[in-house]
Structure formats: structure tokens, C-alpha cells
Amino acid sequence: MTGGIDEASRVPGSVAERARAAQVLLARGSDVVRMSVSEIAAAAGTGVGTVVRTCQSLGFKGVQDAKIALAQNLAPLVIDRGDSPADVLAKLAASSADALQRARSSVDAAALKRAAGMLAAATRVLVLGVGTSAPLAQDAAYWLLTLGIAAEAPADVHVQHVRAGLPRPGDVVVAVSHTGATRETVSADRRATESGAAVVAVTSFATTPLTEVADAALVAGGLETRCRVEAMTSRLAHLVVLDALFVSLLLAEPARSAEAQALVADVLSEHRF
């Protein structure tokens, strides 16, 4: 015996090791969603490769795919067939409130401060997001413009990738992605870092291809319901994180923000009766 684990069960990828890996995935509940693959392996007393193979043997593409499914299956919110629209509203409101509360503890304060500082000093900001994260990227770019910060959020993924590869000194990229594993977003961020830009990531999982390239990773996300394909409560959590950055920037540069917002208000007045 070594460390309480039978030596026979240490054969790489053995049934015993895979069983321990699966047990950790299930026993740790919602905590495993934010554990790295190395942490899961250590908790199971096995190797990273075994954890990956275990997830694949369970029908997932990999560890990240298993985490997402686990988050959905662990959701405390259950929508029943007999629920009235008012019941559904009440349950969704409670779930959304839970996601926002979780953001307070899951977002690293130092990373949030670092991200705000990077954006305050940015020459230009490129905001990236595809799929359900695209509207958040568009909103964030607009908010930054209202503070006097040059920002853009190209809708086309090819334009995003090209733009990410052409940064100027002082440019910052803000990437919004629930999974942190969206190929287009991660590819654009990697290109941006190679070109010298700083990257802020807003995502739901702590250890992902996106957080690996980020200079500041802001992790916040909600546990999802089984009745959705995409992450709605996580989008709300990401929205409040982006709003926190917006207000922090407004407080950091009050004169610039006030001037820019006055100009925006003047322009918008022409579009209202």
C-alpha cells in the first residue's frame, strides 16, 4: 500500500483508476466545475491522462465537455411540466439571483482590479464573443465607447481574428466565453497575445484554453437547467462582471467619463421624441 491506494490500482488507465476519477467527478458536485484537470487527477490519485480517458469513456469529448454537462445536471433549478408561467418566472428569478451571488465569490478580486487597470490605460479595446456571448461583447464595446474608450466588437469571426492579429501598443482584448473553449474566440486571443496585446477573459470555468492565455481571468457562471442548450444564467453573471468593470472605469476616470457620457446623451437625444 502507498498513500492508502493499492499498488495494483496504479496501473495507468486501469479500471480502478478510472473508477476513482469518475467518483471524484460525481462526489465533488459543483466544486469540480472549477477544478483544473490536474486537481481532479490529484484528488483521484491518478494521472491527467486517466481523467481525460475517463471522461471520454463516459461519452464526453473531454474534461471540459464533462464539466459543462455536470454543471447542467447539478442545477438546483428544476422546471416541471406542470409549472405555470408564474412558477417558471419565480424559479428562473431565483436561479439568476443565485448566479449573481456566486459571482461575488468566484471572481478573483485581484484579477478584477488588474483587468480594470488594463482597460483604464488601454489605447483601444477589442471585445470578442461568438454565439450567445456575442450580444454581451457588443454591449461591452458600446459601454466602453460611452466612457470615451475606443472600443469595437466585430460581429464576423474572421474579422475578429484578423483584428486580433493587428494590435497597436496599449491595446487590450476582452474575450467573453461561457465554456472558455470556443475555437474562434481562443484562436483570436492567442493571436492577440502573440502580437503583444493584453487579454481579459470573462468565462465560467477557471481552467480552460481561454484562461491559459488571459492576463486577467474573471470566472463567474451559474448552474444551468436541463431545458436549455446554452448558458443563460452564466450570461447574466458575465453581464454583472462586465458592468462591474464599466462602473470601476467610470470611477477611475470621472472627468473623461462625464465628458463622453454628455456627448453620448446629446447624440441620443436626437433619436427620441
Side-chain angles (χ1 to χ4, degrees):
M1 299 284 287
T2 302
I5 299 175
D6 191 326
E7 289 294 336
S9 69
R10 286 184 174 275
V11 178
S14 69
V15 173
E17 282 197 331
R18 293 192 185 190
R20 289 201 304 274
Q23 196 170 31
V24 168
L25 289 169
L26 295 174
R28 293 301 178 94
S30 59
D31 292 338
V32 80
V33 175
R34 291 183 171 80
M35 292 172 68
S36 69
V37 63
S38 297
E39 290 170 334
I40 295 172
T46 186
V48 169
T50 298
V51 174
V52 174
R53 286 191 292 274
T54 299
C55 293
Q56 292 172 339
S57 69
L58 293 173
F60 303 108
K61 295 178 180 179
V63 177
Q64 188 66 19
D65 192 31
K67 282 183 174 183
I68 294 169
L70 183 61
Q72 292 171 335
N73 289 328
L74 288 171
L77 173 63
V78 177
I79 304 295
D80 297 317
R81 288 182 179 274
D83 284 346
S84 68
D87 293 332
V88 172
L89 174 61
K91 290 183 177 182
L92 291 177
S95 177
S96 298
D98 178 69
L100 298 182
Q101 286 298 322
R102 286 174 181 272
R104 295 177 57 188
S105 58
S106 65
V107 174
D108 181 75
L112 185 62
K113 182 177 181 180
R114 185 162 61 252
M118 289 161 53
L119 290 171
T123 303
R124 294 188 309 174
V125 178
L126 173 65
V127 191
L128 303 177
V130 301
T132 56
S133 294
L136 298 186
Q138 296 290 326
D139 281 348
Y142 176 69
W143 296 342
L144 291 171
L145 283 174
T146 67
L147 296 179
I149 298 173
E152 58 180 313
D156 185 87
V157 293
H158 290 175
V159 176
Q160 290 180 19
H161 203 163
V162 171
R163 174 62 186 83
L166 301 171
R168 298 174 184 174
D171 277 9
V172 174
V173 174
V174 176
V176 186
S177 173
H178 168 56
T179 64
T182 302
R183 188 182 303 277
E184 292 83 358
T185 301
V186 174
S187 295
D189 282 326
R190 285 175 176 161
R191 176 59 64 89
T193 57
E194 291 170 358
S195 302
V199 174
V200 174
V202 180
T203 184
S204 300
F205 302 95
T207 306
T208 66
L210 178 59
T211 57
E212 288 176 2
V213 301
D215 298 283
L218 309 179
V219 180
L223 299 179
E224 300 300 329
T225 68
R226 296 184 183 86
C227 57
R228 294 197 188 103
V229 174
E230 295 291 347
M232 182 66 76
T233 55
S234 291
R235 286 174 64 191
L236 294 175
H238 296 170
L239 184 62
V240 79
V241 169
L242 292 168
D243 199 22
L245 285 173
F246 171 80
V247 175
S248 296
L249 291 170
L250 188 151
L251 297 174
E253 298 283 348
R256 179 179 68 179
S257 298
E259 181 180 0
Q261 292 201 317
L263 289 171
V264 170
D266 184 57
V267 171
L268 291 179
S269 68
E270 299 179 14
H271 297 270
R272 293 175 182 147
F273 290 102

